[in-house]
Amino acid sequence: MRKNSRLDQFLDRTLIFSFTSVGYDLRKSNFEPIPRIDGRRVVVTGATSGLGLVASRQLSELGASVVLVGRNEEKAERARDEIRTTTGNANISFELADLSLMTETAALTERLAAGPPIDVLINNAGVLVGERTETDEGIELTLATNLLSHYLLTESLADHIVEGGRIINVSSGGMYSQRIRPDDLQFERGEYTGTAAYARTKRGQVILTELWADAFASRRITVSAMHPGWADTPGVSDSLPTFSKIIGPILRTPEEGADTMVWLAATDEPVPSGKFWLDRTPRATHMTDRTREKPADRVALVEALQELSRPPG
Ligand SMILES: NC(=O)c1ccc[n+]([C@@H]2O[C@H](COP(=O)([O-])OP(=O)(O)OC[C@H]3O[C@@H](n4cnc5c(N)ncnc54)[C@H](OP(=O)(O)O)[C@@H]3O)[C@@H](O)[C@H]2O)c1
């Protein structure tokens, strides 16, 4: 882990340079090689595309036994076969679940809990949609995919994560723009905008990271949130085509975006729990007081997540 240099502090304030490949290029000179983690069991959600796919491949190269979580069987099979072939690591498997559905997420946790203990859980799957959409279970899609499923997975699997294990929540710099709204998690009030709905779920992940860091401290489980910066993935080009075109030439590669995720999963440097990371360095969680929640908001958030993540029936 690096201390914030003056250059880094300057980059932090510029946002556009910090989040793009410019920031990554300027910071990476201090990065140490990531150590091998042979045999460690890592579960990665959203492993069939973009950052999750790249991170899974890199973790496989480091010797991990990786469980790819995907919702599409063909894509999951393709990812597994490609990773096995390119890395020569046969310990790559997949599990299928539509994480926007709590019934499927709950079934996934049962299957994972019946398997070997987990060393690292990476909550990476995420969506940004243009219009307010409800799942078949009646939950707003962004909330269900980005926050509820990962809440349910983590809470249900916590006892199955080894002592000294790690949980990594893939958040976003977008969370700087929003505060959490526990009384309107499903974005039923006001005009829906996909970027705001997305940012609220990403803010929720950062809050959960801090709460889980305390909750799992006695078992020495390190909980981290990270943001990848802006990386060139199918997710970005599909959901933000104009942004993708404008920033395109300086978007990070998926490997650069996934670097901190892989580093947090594998580093043997001491990592303080409960932090929000970019480029292997903890960052501020707020840029303005406007986005700060009160302690009561945190209590209300957890109550709402408990209620909404309960599978129907
Ligand atoms: N790329 C960036 O610049 C950036 C910036 C900030 C944060 N992030 C975060 O990084 C994470 C990965 O994003 P990405 O850019 O790599 O996007 P991506 O290429 O669209 O990958 C998203 C992954 O999530 C999976 N997923 C989506 N909905 C799902 C569902 N209902 N059930 C199961 N899996 C589902 C997708 O599965 P399919 O393959 O089946 O679609 C895919 O594997 C997200 O949490 C995103 O918010 C990305």
Side-chain angles (χ1 to χ4, degrees), residues 6 42 105 131 133 156 159 161 182 191 233 287 290 292:
R6 289 174 84 146
V42 185
T105 307
E131 283 179 18
T133 312
S156 312
D159 289 346
I161 296 176
E191 194 186 338
T233 63
M287 288 186 174
R290 196 175 51 78
R292 289 187 194 280

Side-chain angles (χ1 to χ4, degrees), residues 92-135:
I92 312 300
S93 58
F94 68 80
E95 288 288 344
L96 295 175
D98 180 340
L99 295 174
S100 71
L101 299 172
M102 296 310 110
T103 35
E104 292 205 16
T105 307
L108 169 70
T109 63
E110 280 176 26
R111 294 197 302 277
L112 289 171
I118 295 166
D119 294 278
V120 184
L121 171 64
I122 305 185
N123 291 319
N124 164 74
V127 286
L128 192 169
V129 294
E131 283 179 18
R132 190 180 182 284
T133 312
E134 287 192 2
T135 68

Side-chain angles (χ1 to χ4, degrees), residues 62-275:
L62 296 170
S65 164
V66 187
V67 182
L68 315 169
V69 178
R71 59 179 161 176
N72 175 312
E73 185 163 12
E74 210 182 308
K75 282 181 93 170
E77 257 177 14
R78 204 184 315 137
R80 179 200 58 191
D81 294 347
E82 181 265 318
I83 293 174
R84 279 183 178 171
T85 309
T86 53
T87 66
N89 181 346
N91 295 322
I92 312 300
S93 58
F94 68 80
E95 288 288 344
L96 295 175
D98 180 340
L99 295 174
S100 71
L101 299 172
M102 296 310 110
T103 35
E104 292 205 16
T105 307
L108 169 70
T109 63
E110 280 176 26
R111 294 197 302 277
L112 289 171
I118 295 166
D119 294 278
V120 184
L121 171 64
I122 305 185
N123 291 319
N124 164 74
V127 286
L128 192 169
V129 294
E131 283 179 18
R132 190 180 182 284
T133 312
E134 287 192 2
T135 68
D136 290 347
E137 294 175 347
I139 308 275
E140 192 274 319
L141 180 63
T142 315
L143 174 73
T145 312
N146 299 5
L147 196 58
L148 283 185
S149 66
H150 292 138
Y151 174 79
L152 183 56
L153 262 184
T154 307
E155 289 283 330
S156 312
L157 288 175
D159 289 346
H160 199 60
I161 296 176
V162 299
E163 189 158 337
R166 300 170 191 195
I167 298 167
I168 299 159
N169 297 316
V170 179
S171 179
S172 163
M175 70 97 199
Y176 282 121
S177 67
Q178 291 288 317
R179 74 178 168 83
I180 200 70
R181 314 280 167 112
D183 58 337
D184 188 24
L185 281 185
Q186 300 217 54
F187 219 129
E188 289 161 307
R189 296 187 209 142
E191 194 186 338
Y192 181 90
T193 59
T195 46
Y198 172 83
R200 290 181 192 181
T201 61
K202 296 294 172 181
R203 166 65 62 196
Q205 285 183 310
V206 173
I207 296 172
L208 286 179
T209 298
E210 294 178 354
L211 295 175
W212 282 332
D214 287 344
F216 304 145
S218 62
R219 294 184 52 236
R220 297 187 302 103
I221 294 175
T222 303
V223 191
S224 307
M226 58 78 64
H227 85 93
W230 294 328
D232 189 5
T233 63
V236 167
S237 51
D238 291 351
S239 52
L240 299 169
T242 311
F243 169 83
S244 178
K245 254 192 210 128
I246 295 169
I247 305 285
I250 52 169
L251 279 176
R252 293 172 176 220
T253 64
E255 286 76 11
E256 291 168 352
D259 172 79
T260 296
M261 201 191 303
V262 177
W263 178 81
L264 285 166
T267 183
D268 44 24
E269 291 178 48
V271 168
S273 195
K275 301 291 181 196

